[in-house]
Amino acid sequence: MGDVVLGAHGFWARRQQVNTSATLDHIAGWLDRSGWLANFGSPASARRGREFSDTEIYKYLEALAWEYGRTREPAIDARFRSIAARVASAQEPDGYLNTNFGRPGQAPRYSDLEWGHELYSYGHLIQAAVARARTVGTDDFVQVAIRAADHVCKVFGPGGIASVCGHPEIEPALAELYRVTGDTRYLEQARLFVSRRGGPVLSDIEFGRSYFQDDMPVRAADILRGHAVRAMYLTAGAVDVAVETGDGELLEAIERQWRNTVARRVYLTGGVGARHQDEAFADDYVLPPDRAYSETCASVGSVMLAWRLLLATGKVRYADLIERTLFNVIATSPSDDGRRFFYTNTLHQRSLGAQPPPDEMVPRASSTLRAPWFTVSCCPTNLARTFASLTAYLATTDNDGVQIHQYASATLTTSQVSLEVETDYPASGEIVVHIRRAPGTPWTLTLRVPAWAVGATCTIGDEPADAEPGWLRIRRRFTAGETVRLSLPMAARLTYPDPRIDAVRGCVAVERGPVVYCAESVDLPPGTTVDQVRIDASVPLADSPGEVVAAGQLVRVSEDGWPYGGNAFDRETENVELILRPYHDWASRGPSTMRVWLPLDQVRPPLGTAGPVSDTAGPTVDTAGPLLDTAGRDVSGS
């Protein structure tokens, strides 16, 4: 991959700028005041935080590594070096590094593989080192991670502890360290961890071994299950192992699991995980909007997995899901100022919620307003590393040309090609690619036409080109100064749920381009809530980039008596224009009730009859592109 730089303006440029100017400092302050950073170099008796709190320092270091690689800002590098030195000071001579185990007064090393998170912590340490190696080179911190990886290979390799970690993460980390160093021991250890899982090798728990994905071998599963973050990290590592070892059977197994999961267990926003008690996938089609857990970290993992599958197969469906998840979960979690976050991402908020004080650490939030920090604060640091490395997801190169997967104003430069992408997507669907430099021989520019973009058009100069959903491949001898214009239809549309999703039967959602919209009580008459809203699907939607207006009603039903009966409930209706706004902006204007899925107007059709139900969320596009070149590819977003 060549160099990709976001422009100064645009949807993702703004979020990356907020990450740089506010979120990174915000996280640093909380890591200090929580005492989690001080755990490195402090006595065991003074340790603070959960058993996995080391990983928040590692994810923060990863974010700093990508940020320094992007900006070359000396202050960022100085902060990285200071924290990295503190981490290094806590490493044992044999490479072991964990502040929660192994010291006087603490449990022995590897005495709690189910819940201890030791290998999980190594995974995030190694990911931070991989980011550092790719942006700076092999420095002292990278050597810390290499010593830790060598320790893991010795202790958990052949003849060692034949088990795995209760929380996957080390699997993709070791595979990426292999790509950086070329040391096959790391790839083999990642393969061992993937192949061991499902033996079973971990003790059973109240949630069952499926919580750890230890109920069956990875390649035997048909769908993702258990703890959603764990499932995503494990399968991301399995894809890495499959690609690097040429294991086509394993790759097909993960593709099969992904297809079935997306068809049955993923929210409209791209969010995953419907159960609160174990942060897990529910059964097929059990996707209650008001109980959606949809953890931010699970969506980070979903992007990691889909990105790897995109690189491995070239199928456009993976880039489509990345886009959906980025715009509707990743962009939703942080506040506009980058200092508050959603841990979970509900699709239906029934109560106003409470604004946590800016200096208060709160339990992980579920269906409330964004909070500044959590006792389990995995999501802020996960967002920071994702935003810092966001350009890695925009485009790829191979021997045949350049593939653009996500749209943002940016410059893309390779050894032979220089492109400038100009767009304010998703405010509009106009994307212009300027050819600034090109070789004198034919090459292929590949553009993604999203599955929802039926009716897209493309012109190359003045020449029209087909632009059906899927990959749009333009092969020619480009010359400097030429432009390619892709126009995606951005009219707001109604989306109907699969009729097997009981929780939203009789409802519709509104989407515009890749963005899901929602209703909020702040846009309703005083004293009303979104649970009184009905939408009239027979009236066309009116839209603009910031809002969509739909026809509907507010329904008021008597609060007294028995809440069941025939069709004769006392009710009052009021016609109203429903103002819908992007879901990623919800709760930005203060406490609000909110819903994504809107009940259809129960006057047309009459009470007691079924409204329209169909599966019109858009075609599933399975157009295979060329197998992307694995040599030198950038998987830096994980």
Side-chain angles (χ1 to χ4, degrees):
M1 183 62 225
D3 186 38
V4 181
V5 179
L6 284 177
H9 305 286
F11 188 93
W12 293 118
R14 287 193 298 274
R15 278 152 179 78
Q16 198 169 64
Q17 289 160 8
V18 169
N19 191 55
T20 302
S21 63
T23 302
L24 292 176
D25 285 344
H26 177 82
I27 292 172
W30 275 101
L31 291 177
D32 186 53
R33 70 186 297 177
S34 67
W36 301 350
L37 180 57
N39 289 336
F40 294 90
S42 296
S45 60
R47 190 186 186 279
R48 295 170 63 185
R50 292 289 300 273
E51 62 274 16
F52 41 73
S53 63
D54 291 1
T55 64
E56 309 315 333
I57 282 76
Y58 300 152
K59 280 183 285 181
Y60 182 61
L61 283 172
E62 183 182 346
L64 292 177
W66 295 127
E67 187 67 17
Y68 178 65
R70 187 178 73 85
T71 65
R72 295 298 165 181
E73 175 60 48
I76 296 291
D77 186 50
R79 182 182 297 180
F80 181 97
R81 290 177 183 275
S82 174
I83 297 174
R86 189 163 196 161
V87 169
S89 70
Q91 188 168 38
E92 303 289 345
D94 66 349
Y96 183 82
L97 179 53
N98 191 288
T99 68
N100 193 58
F101 291 91
R103 295 182 292 171
Q106 295 179 330
R109 297 178 180 184
Y110 310 119
S111 58
D112 187 6
L113 289 174
E114 285 77 18
W115 298 106
H117 291 75
E118 284 164 282
L119 295 175
Y120 169 79
S121 296
Y122 285 134
H124 282 299
L125 169 69
I126 293 168
Q127 293 280 29
V130 167
R132 185 66 171 177
R134 286 178 173 155
T135 55
V136 170
T138 302
D139 65 359
D140 291 344
F141 180 72
V142 177
Q143 292 295 342
V144 168
I146 287 173
R147 287 193 294 273
D150 291 344
H151 166 81
V152 169
C153 291
K154 181 178 180 180
V155 174
F156 288 87
I161 301 173
S163 191
V164 298
C165 185
H167 198 312
E169 217 299 308
I170 196 168
E171 296 85 352
L174 285 170
E176 291 197 32
L177 187 61
Y178 155 72
R179 289 171 178 149
V180 166
T181 64
D183 192 328
T184 58
R185 290 179 303 148
Y186 307 139
L187 177 61
E188 173 57 18
Q189 188 62 51
R191 188 196 67 78
L192 273 177
F193 282 138
V194 171
S195 64
R196 284 174 183 165
R197 195 169 294 265
V201 292
L202 296 171
S203 299
D204 205 358
I205 60 169
E206 61 178 309
F207 301 135
R209 287 194 179 90
S210 63
Y211 177 85
F212 304 127
Q213 295 78 44
D214 192 39
D215 54 325
M216 66 180 71
V218 171
R219 65 183 72 232
D222 289 324
I223 200 164
L224 299 182
R225 67 236 177 271
H227 187 272
V229 180
R230 284 168 164 86
M232 292 301 177
Y233 285 174
L234 175 62
T235 45
V239 173
D240 285 340
V241 169
V243 168
E244 297 298 345
T245 63
D247 191 337
E249 179 189 62
L250 179 58
L251 180 61
E252 169 51 32
I254 304 304
E255 284 205 88
R256 178 179 69 245
Q257 294 165 34
W258 187 94
R259 288 194 304 269
N260 290 337
T261 301
V262 169
R264 307 174 197 168
R265 298 183 176 184
V266 174
Y267 284 98
L268 179 66
T269 56
V272 292
R275 291 210 306 247
H276 282 237
Q277 68 172 5
D278 50 354
E279 303 181 307
F281 291 97
D283 293 337
D284 292 350
Y285 307 109
V286 178
L287 293 164
D290 55 342
R291 291 294 295 164
Y293 200 71
S294 184
E295 184 182 337
T296 298
C297 285
S299 286
V300 170
S302 176
V303 170
M304 289 170 55
L305 172 58
W307 177 244
R308 285 161 164 79
L309 288 169
L310 172 63
L311 292 176
T313 70
K315 294 177 182 175
V316 72
R317 56 170 56 176
Y318 301 118
D320 280 350
L321 187 70
I322 289 172
E323 176 180 72
R324 179 174 295 276
T325 307
L326 286 175
F327 278 111
N328 299 299
V329 183
I330 302 300
T332 304
S333 178
S335 60
D336 290 340
D337 67 0
R339 294 182 174 90
R340 290 178 177 269
F341 313 89
F342 282 133
Y343 188 103
T344 62
N345 295 275
T346 186
L347 277 70
H348 185 175
Q349 175 74 21
R350 295 182 182 274
S351 60
L352 290 178
Q355 183 89 302
D359 58 349
E360 182 177 315
M361 183 190 300
V362 301
R364 66 187 83 179
S366 58
S367 300
T368 185
L369 300 183
R370 296 174 179 92
W373 201 248
F374 309 99
T375 53
V376 177
S377 238
C378 48
C379 296
T381 52
N382 236 343
L383 287 168
R385 67 175 183 146
T386 300
F387 287 127
S389 61
L390 194 62
T391 54
Y393 296 113
L394 298 187
T396 52
T397 63
D398 62 13
N399 293 331
D400 190 48
V402 176
Q403 304 85 36
I404 301 179
H405 307 295
Q406 308 298 331
Y407 295 116
S409 288
T411 57
L412 294 76
T413 306
T414 72
S415 59
Q416 293 187 301
V417 173
S418 179
L419 308 175
E420 181 182 350
V421 180
E422 181 183 358
T423 184
D424 63 351
Y425 187 79
S428 82
E430 297 300 307
I431 297 124
V432 181
V433 181
H434 301 277
I435 311 298
R436 299 305 189 196
R437 178 167 54 86
T441 55
W443 57 282
T444 302
L445 173 64
T446 301
L447 304 176
R448 181 179 61 89
V449 181
W452 50 262
V454 177
T457 61
C458 180
T459 57
I460 309 161
D462 296 325
E463 302 174 26
D466 291 336
E468 296 298 319
W471 292 124
L472 168 59
R473 298 184 184 86
I474 305 168
R475 182 168 181 80
R476 60 185 288 164
R477 187 175 69 83
F478 289 94
T479 59
E482 283 191 287
T483 61
V484 177
R485 180 181 294 271
L486 177 64
S487 298
L488 303 178
M490 300 295 284
R493 62 192 187 275
L494 294 177
T495 297
Y496 292 84
D498 187 302
R500 291 166 288 190
I501 306 176
D502 288 336
V504 292
R505 188 180 293 125
C507 297
V508 294
V510 173
E511 298 181 271
R512 182 181 183 276
V515 177
V516 173
Y517 277 62
C518 67
E520 284 191 85
S521 57
V522 292
D523 293 313
L524 298 175
T528 57
T529 73
V530 292
D531 290 333
Q532 298 172 256
V533 166
R534 304 292 183 267
I535 187 170
D536 185 348
S538 69
V539 178
L541 301 169
D543 69 272
S544 63
E547 66 180 38
V548 171
V549 180
Q553 291 187 329
L554 293 178
V555 179
R556 296 179 177 87
V557 180
S558 173
E559 299 293 335
D560 298 327
W562 182 244
Y564 309 100
N567 291 337
F569 286 110
D570 291 334
R571 51 184 271 163
E572 297 177 359
T573 61
E574 175 188 347
N575 292 330
V576 67
E577 284 190 338
L578 301 178
I579 298 174
L580 310 176
R581 301 186 190 276
Y583 172 74
H584 56 240
D585 287 337
W586 94 269
S588 297
R589 294 171 291 164
S592 180
T593 61
M594 176 277 298
R595 70 185 302 164
V596 167
W597 289 104
L598 305 172
L600 288 160
D601 184 348
Q602 294 298 303
V603 174
R604 295 179 299 274
L607 283 169
T609 65
V613 177
S614 62
D615 186 7
T616 57
T620 298
V621 182
D622 190 11
T623 306
L627 185 65
L628 300 181
D629 187 8
T630 60
R633 70 185 184 281
D634 189 345
V635 292
S636 56
S638 55

